[in-house]
Amino acid sequence: MTVDIPHSAALLGQYAASCKKVATIAHTHPDGDALGSSLGMACWLESLGKDVRCIFPDPISSNLAFLLEGGAKARCLVYTDDADAVKSWIAGCDLLIILDMNCLSRGAGLEEVIKASKAPRVLIDHHLNPQREEFSLTISETEISSTSELVYWLLKELEGKGMGNIDPEAGNALMAGMTTDTNNFANSTWPSTLEMASQLLAAGVNRDAIVEKVNWHYGENRLRALGMLLDRRLTITPQNVAYMVLYKEDLEAYNLGDGDTEGFVNMPLAISRVRMSILIKEDKEHFRVSVRSKKGTSAQNYTKIYCHGGGHENAAGGKLFFPGDIANQKEAPAFLERTVKEFFDEGK
Ligand SMILES: [Mn+2]
């Protein structure tokens, strides 16, 4: 870890001490880390007596619904479900805490709402290249598993200073966020990550239940779609890059919701010779692009150069627009072939 936790926590504590009404805001298509870090932060702020809502640009996928049991659901607002409630909450806030995204555009429709607010913005994130100029305080750490872990260490520090506490609900949410972002300790696991897990286990967080709920409660459609993809849509280029394309017809045929394709992109990395895996999924006028790579290959660089995105060195996401990057959907495979060849063979 490179960030100075005591110093950053003290600054976060100052912002929290001087506010009354807060919004935490996380990225579009919220994943376990976005939700976990938001809920963990909200629990802590509530323990300080603050009025808090966790705001998301769009709905939370159904496999994470267990984190919204109890009181947590009432704490969350989704912009695409209730734009007026979100706008009026943010307009009344005197602090915005932005989590698990390095730039405001990752907030999709919320970007303008955030920019319209005069409240100070605190960024807490673990992605590369944070857009520091947009924030009053940036707490960015890339040598860490997840935003949930970063939040954990900040809150732990503040708790030691007698400022709020990490209650079991927050511990559970932060453990879930870390567990999903490390793909259950398969990647981005640092010494501090295991220390956090150890401390939370000792505090009574039921990690087995989290793992079970995250991984074992999908519909049959998810597995059948994965079978179809791996059997019929997996291409491996001469550069040993695997790619798979999911068209709108597939999403409809298998009735795939937002969270249902989570983790698909990792599967081809199981093949020994594959060094990078790309999954593209058709959306409105663009494909959503997910890229994962093994050590020594930069998913981040490929995504930045060709797919309007970024993220982490070995896990990145972006978009591919049509028309724009490609004339139409059917051109996507050729685009991937060409850009992969250029990236690896011409050493871009
Ligand atoms: Mn994350």
Side-chain angles (χ1 to χ4, degrees), residues 42-314:
C43 288
W44 173 71
L45 289 163
E46 280 171 8
S47 80
L48 298 175
K50 313 297 175 184
D51 227 354
V52 196
R53 290 292 180 278
C54 298
I55 294 174
F56 302 95
D58 37 29
I60 293 149
S61 82
S62 59
N63 68 316
L64 298 170
F66 73 97
L67 285 172
L68 298 175
E69 285 163 10
K73 198 174 175 128
R75 205 184 270 140
C76 295
L77 290 173
V78 174
Y79 187 60
T80 50
D81 291 349
D82 196 347
D84 289 343
V86 167
K87 281 182 189 160
S88 90
W89 186 269
I90 290 180
C93 283
D94 47 11
L95 180 63
L96 305 180
I97 299 186
I98 318 290
L99 296 156
D100 202 34
M101 55 199 236
N102 58 355
C103 56
L104 293 180
S105 62
R106 293 278 292 130
L110 283 174
E111 180 174 4
E112 294 312 313
V113 187
I114 296 170
K115 284 183 168 164
S117 160
K118 297 264 182 290
R121 298 174 202 152
V122 173
L123 175 71
I124 305 177
D125 181 48
H126 70 130
H127 296 87
L128 295 163
N129 312 319
Q131 199 179 21
R132 291 176 189 273
E133 66 280 7
E134 291 289 352
F135 301 95
S136 320
L137 170 65
T138 298
I139 305 176
S140 165
E141 173 61 72
T142 55
E143 296 184 6
I144 200 163
S145 64
S146 53
T147 300
S148 295
E149 186 191 331
L150 185 51
V151 167
Y152 177 77
W153 292 117
L154 292 166
L155 301 191
K156 196 80 193 154
E157 177 73 23
L158 288 160
E159 185 179 55
K161 300 271 185 294
M163 205 178 169
N165 59 66
I166 306 183
D167 65 18
E169 192 191 340
N172 193 60
L174 295 174
M175 180 77 104
M178 177 272 282
T179 298
T180 50
D181 250 28
T182 60
N183 192 12
N184 203 12
F185 299 109
N187 53 260
S188 337
T189 301
W190 299 78
S192 60
T193 313
L194 294 171
E195 213 175 312
M196 166 194 178
S198 165
Q199 290 181 8
L200 283 174
L201 277 177
V205 167
N206 187 348
R207 214 188 79 83
D208 292 349
I210 293 171
V211 172
E212 197 229 88
K213 283 170 182 156
V214 169
N215 297 309
W216 297 353
H217 288 270
Y218 286 103
E220 186 181 329
N221 60 331
R222 168 180 154 91
L223 221 64
R224 295 205 180 275
L226 177 61
M228 179 280 291
L229 256 187
L230 293 176
D231 186 36
R232 305 213 305 260
R233 297 287 173 76
L234 175 65
T235 305
I236 303 178
T237 75
Q239 296 76 24
N240 292 325
V241 171
Y243 70 83
M244 302 184 287
V245 182
L246 260 177
Y247 295 101
K248 212 164 115 212
E249 301 90 84
D250 306 317
L251 298 171
E252 284 164 7
Y254 287 89
N255 192 24
L256 293 171
D258 231 6
D260 289 332
T261 55
E262 195 67 47
F264 282 9
V265 64
N266 294 311
M267 298 293 169
L269 293 179
I271 301 166
S272 168
R273 72 179 168 104
V274 167
R275 54 178 168 179
M276 190 163 94
S277 168
I278 306 171
L279 172 70
I280 68 169
K281 193 163 92 168
E282 188 176 340
D283 206 327
K284 237 176 116 194
E285 291 167 358
H286 68 277
F287 282 94
R288 283 170 59 190
V289 181
S290 301
V291 187
R292 299 291 181 272
S293 62
K294 291 180 182 164
K295 253 201 170 100
T297 298
S298 178
Q300 151 92 6
N301 283 349
Y302 174 81
T303 313
K304 212 161 88 183
I305 297 171
Y306 300 106
C307 308
H308 314 277
H312 309 286
E313 184 64 7
N314 300 118

